[in-house]
Amino acid sequence: MGGTALAVLVSGLYGGAPVAAAEWGTADGGSGVAYDSAATEVSVRGARFVDGYGREVVLRGFNVSGETKLAENGGLPFASVADARKSARALREQGGANTVRFLLSWSAAEPEPGRVDTTYLRQATAQIREFLKVGLRVFPDFHQDLFSQHLFGKGSWYQGDGAPRWVIEAGGYGKEFCGICVHWGQNITQNQAVKNAARDFWHNRLLTTENGTIGVQDAFLDTAQKTMAYLAGHLDAREFAGVAGFDPYNEPYAGQYAKGEDNKSWEQHRLWPFYERFRARMDAAGWRAKPAFVEPGMFWNSNLFFMKQPGGLQGVGGLGPRYVFNTHFYDQQTMSGFFKLDKAKDGQYNGDFNLVRDRSRSLETPAVVSEFGHPLTGTSSDKAPSVVKGEYQALDSALSGADWWRKPAGSGPVLSSTQWQWDLYNGRHREQMNGNPDKTLTEGDAWNGEDLSAVRLDGQGRTELRQDHRLIDRLYPSAVAGRTLAFVYEDRSREEGKATSWNQLPADMPHLKRLLGSSGQPYGVLVWRGGDSDGAPTELHLPRGFDPETSTVVSDLGEGAIAAEPGGTNARRLLLSAVGRDPGDVHFALVTGASSTPDERRAVLGELSRWAESVRWP
């Protein structure tokens, strides 16, 4: 259907005049639509994120970035505001993101006890602002791994990040040693210095410093509060509305359990009280309306049986609107290069991600999978295309591709997520490992041999994806005027040059099967029940690969349009309005990069209508 824009497709298919994007009313100099200003800020309603119109919101994006773990840019994700600007725009236009998890460094923020480095906070705020400018939501994260880089000396095999040098010196942890460790993560459970430092943090050990005696956890909370107050005071109201919340502590682990304690009881008696203390600091810093993105003990959902521990914030009751369940997932079996050697298959991770959905329901708060991904070099890197495809499949739906059309009512909520990671400097770092000039790291992420960045700079300094754009820049429901009932996206991403397709199209829908099965183009289907959204439409992010001149939309709704995503980039979204329809009506939309004729669209519309009517939706 060359030459026919999507705005025409959506409305012209059912009669009536096409609705151009401008008819919604422009804002930001034409970079968005009129209702965007009230749609930026998100809050928690039950197990969903909602915007100012009550629309169900899905947060999707990346971590920015592992560069924060390194010394070369002073604990900042970027060397300059210009690099932050370049990265933010690329995240919108190439990564399809609407959200970033923005890493911060305690070590850089508080280099001396009790003294917060306002230069660091000013630079971090300036970089955060570049992401907010292009319409990305941001939730900062005080990041740590192995507690602190200062536990590791120039001759160490590994690196850490997190606590300042003065904490380590006051703690007197001695020389670190991991023993027989084949992966940096083993330091968490085998390196006594790391274990002791982590234990002391959760027990708020009193440290004697040049400025007096202070509990180590108290010091962290003081710095976190000052950081949040600085951000609230130096971002204007419109910018601050784009800050979605705060992640208090990355991948918490006890270090050492007390006698009779396990991860579940430690979460209840050590971790959760810390989160309550952090929540109080958020309130004092002017963040009362924003949730804390709280993580459970890091091994609660490990897929290695000997690492998995009970937990997931069980036993702390419903979290309510002031918290978000925030967890990570990595396929440690495949990453090991030993425990699982084959590639990911259809439905591989449904069980793992449905466990996250279960915890979200039990805790009565939304879930965010704030880290996932797979190494792009190394022994298991050939599995990366299938692993990341499988992880996104499980984020989108509770069902496998084999089951989705047969049992769509079980699709469940779409999970919010931020992939690890987005690092412009991948492969071109100049990091002196633990301050050792004889160990200058340049390859990959320059941190413990990792290489997971989805992006890098090419020889001309332009951003380029390191993973298939079909896999990374995805169709997803960014704002649903009502409640999502089912969603699926078949990205048809390439592996070794061949498209991989897991979604099994139904034989009793021949027109649909012909349209989607023969073209090799990606497609998605959203089903939702309408609700009261003050006229604001349902939105789906449109991947850059969807050509408006040739793509197809089939929906029960007769009005729609393409508009730019907020923020002035080339990223686009599809708007579907249910104005005039009864709240509670079930709606559906099929979006595909395949072209079609009017007759084909009418035939597919009939099949989709009959299919949607045959399902007993919740």
Side-chain angles (χ1 to χ4, degrees):
M1 208 153 33
T4 306
L6 277 176
V8 176
L9 287 175
V10 177
S11 55
L13 179 56
Y14 309 105
V19 180
E23 293 182 44
W24 293 101
T26 58
D28 300 324
S31 65
V33 291
Y35 58 80
D36 283 340
S37 60
T40 302
E41 191 160 17
V42 296
S43 58
V44 171
R45 183 181 298 171
R48 302 184 297 158
F49 289 109
V50 296
D51 66 11
Y53 296 100
R55 294 182 301 175
E56 182 178 272
V57 169
V58 173
L59 307 178
R60 280 289 172 93
F62 292 83
N63 284 262
V64 178
S65 73
E67 172 70 21
T68 300
K69 302 181 182 186
L70 307 182
E72 60 185 1
N73 285 331
L76 292 164
F78 302 100
S80 66
V81 170
D83 281 357
R85 185 178 305 123
K86 176 187 290 188
S87 186
R89 190 174 188 93
L91 269 163
R92 263 304 205 191
E93 296 182 342
Q94 295 172 267
N98 68 8
T99 302
V100 294
R101 180 178 184 238
F102 192 99
L103 274 60
L104 296 172
S105 166
W106 178 19
S107 182
E110 190 185 9
E112 298 173 10
R115 181 181 73 83
V116 170
D117 186 343
T118 54
T119 298
Y120 174 77
L121 297 186
R122 175 176 54 79
Q123 292 172 327
T125 302
Q127 293 186 9
I128 287 173
R129 184 175 285 114
E130 293 303 316
F131 291 85
L132 296 169
K133 281 181 180 178
V134 297
L136 289 159
R137 297 181 179 96
V138 174
F139 65 99
D141 155 50
F142 261 123
H143 209 78
Q144 72 80 36
D145 298 277
L146 310 184
F147 193 73
S148 174
Q149 60 268 53
H150 302 293
L151 284 168
F152 299 86
K154 291 184 178 181
S156 293
W157 290 9
Y158 300 102
Q159 304 154 267
D161 67 285
R165 182 183 298 277
W166 64 264
V167 169
I168 305 309
E169 291 175 347
Y173 296 110
K175 186 174 176 60
E176 58 80 24
F177 179 67
C178 193
I180 303 175
C181 289
V182 296
H183 185 269
W184 69 264
Q186 291 177 264
N187 284 271
I188 298 166
T189 56
Q190 292 180 215
N191 191 321
Q192 197 61 47
V194 173
K195 292 166 64 176
N196 289 345
R199 174 204 60 205
D200 287 352
F201 180 86
W202 300 113
H203 288 257
N204 198 23
R205 177 188 168 190
L206 291 177
L207 300 179
T208 301
T209 75
E210 59 188 28
N211 291 341
T213 300
I214 188 171
V216 60
Q217 190 179 114
D218 294 335
F220 173 81
L221 290 169
D222 287 348
T223 299
Q225 180 176 336
K226 292 172 184 175
T227 298
M228 289 186 285
Y230 189 96
L231 288 169
H234 289 80
L235 297 171
D236 65 32
R238 185 177 183 133
E239 291 167 338
F240 194 51
V243 177
F246 207 106
D247 183 344
Y249 199 91
N250 179 67
E251 295 182 350
Y253 180 65
Q256 291 181 284
Y257 294 120
K259 185 177 181 180
E261 189 177 49
D262 62 8
N263 185 64
K264 181 179 177 181
S265 58
W266 173 78
E267 285 182 350
Q268 294 172 8
H269 302 302
R270 293 290 176 186
L271 182 61
W272 185 249
F274 164 74
Y275 287 147
E276 291 181 313
R277 299 186 72 201
F278 193 96
R279 175 70 264 180
R281 299 301 186 106
M282 291 179 71
D283 294 349
W287 291 54
R288 180 175 293 276
K290 300 183 184 295
F293 286 57
V294 295
E295 301 187 31
M298 65 177 297
F299 295 121
W300 81 280
N301 62 341
S302 172
N303 70 351
L304 286 172
F305 70 92
F306 56 88
M307 296 295 291
K308 189 176 180 68
Q309 298 180 0
L313 299 182
Q314 297 181 53
V316 302
L319 300 191
R322 289 163 56 77
Y323 298 93
V324 169
F325 183 62
N326 170 22
T327 189
H328 299 172
F329 177 80
Y330 291 99
D331 183 354
Q332 295 168 321
Q333 293 180 359
T334 301
M335 290 173 74
S336 71
F338 176 77
F339 292 101
K340 185 177 180 298
L341 301 179
D342 55 339
K343 296 179 180 181
K345 299 178 178 61
D346 177 32
Q348 178 100 29
Y349 304 115
N350 285 144
D352 300 295
F353 286 77
N354 288 346
L355 182 60
V356 176
R357 289 181 173 90
D358 289 343
R359 295 305 304 137
S360 172
R361 282 190 289 268
S362 296
L363 293 168
E364 301 171 354
T365 197
V368 173
V369 181
S370 61
E371 286 190 28
F372 66 99
H374 196 80
L376 300 182
T377 55
T379 56
S380 70
S381 60
D382 63 312
K383 316 297 192 303
S386 65
V387 168
V388 178
K389 178 182 176 70
E391 290 170 337
Y392 271 116
Q393 180 195 46
L395 288 164
D396 287 344
S397 173
L399 300 171
S400 67
D403 286 337
W404 194 88
W405 287 97
R406 296 188 302 111
K407 306 175 182 178
S411 186
V414 181
L415 291 173
S416 293
S417 63
T418 51
Q419 183 178 334
W420 186 270
Q421 65 158 328
W422 190 272
D423 177 14
L424 290 188
Y425 311 115
N426 177 271
R428 51 173 67 196
H429 293 280
R430 299 291 298 174
E431 175 71 5
Q432 294 184 1
M433 181 177 175
N434 299 317
N436 188 341
D438 296 326
K439 290 185 178 180
T440 300
L441 306 179
T442 61
E443 296 181 355
D445 301 337
W447 197 83
N448 286 323
E450 290 198 341
D451 185 13
L452 283 87
S453 177
V455 73
R456 65 184 170 198
L457 297 177
D458 67 13
Q460 287 72 47
R462 297 170 301 197
T463 54
E464 66 175 8
L465 292 178
R466 302 178 65 218
Q467 295 173 280
D468 189 343
H469 71 88
R470 303 168 188 83
L471 178 65
I472 297 302
D473 184 11
R474 306 177 64 80
L475 184 83
Y476 61 91
S478 51
V480 173
R483 181 180 291 271
T484 298
L485 299 176
F487 177 68
V488 68
Y489 183 53
E490 178 51 80
D491 56 56
R492 285 179 164 156
S493 53
R494 270 47 171 182
E495 186 174 357
E496 298 177 354
K498 183 179 179 181
T500 305
S501 185
W502 288 343
N503 194 248
Q504 295 183 18
L505 297 167
D508 59 353
M509 299 172 72
H511 297 286
L512 176 78
K513 193 170 184 179
R514 188 177 303 113
L515 173 64
L516 302 181
S518 60
S519 68
Q521 292 293 319
Y523 62 87
V525 178
L526 173 68
V527 184
W528 72 103
R529 189 180 298 280
D532 183 9
S533 62
D534 293 331
T538 290
E539 301 183 14
L540 291 99
H541 169 72
L542 283 177
R544 188 170 55 163
F546 279 61
D547 184 351
E549 298 298 319
T550 59
S551 298
T552 297
V553 173
V554 178
S555 173
D556 69 297
L557 298 175
E559 293 181 292
I562 283 185
E565 295 276 17
T569 69
N570 292 329
R572 300 164 304 173
R573 53 191 158 159
L574 174 67
L575 312 177
L576 295 168
S577 174
V579 171
R581 302 296 186 93
D582 290 337
D585 281 357
V586 172
H587 307 292
F588 60 84
L590 164 71
V591 186
T592 176
S595 61
S596 63
T597 67
D599 286 345
E600 288 172 332
R601 296 195 298 276
R602 276 188 287 271
V604 170
L605 174 62
E607 290 181 343
L608 286 173
S609 298
R610 289 188 292 274
W611 169 80
E613 290 171 1
S614 72
V615 177
R616 183 174 294 178
W617 300 105

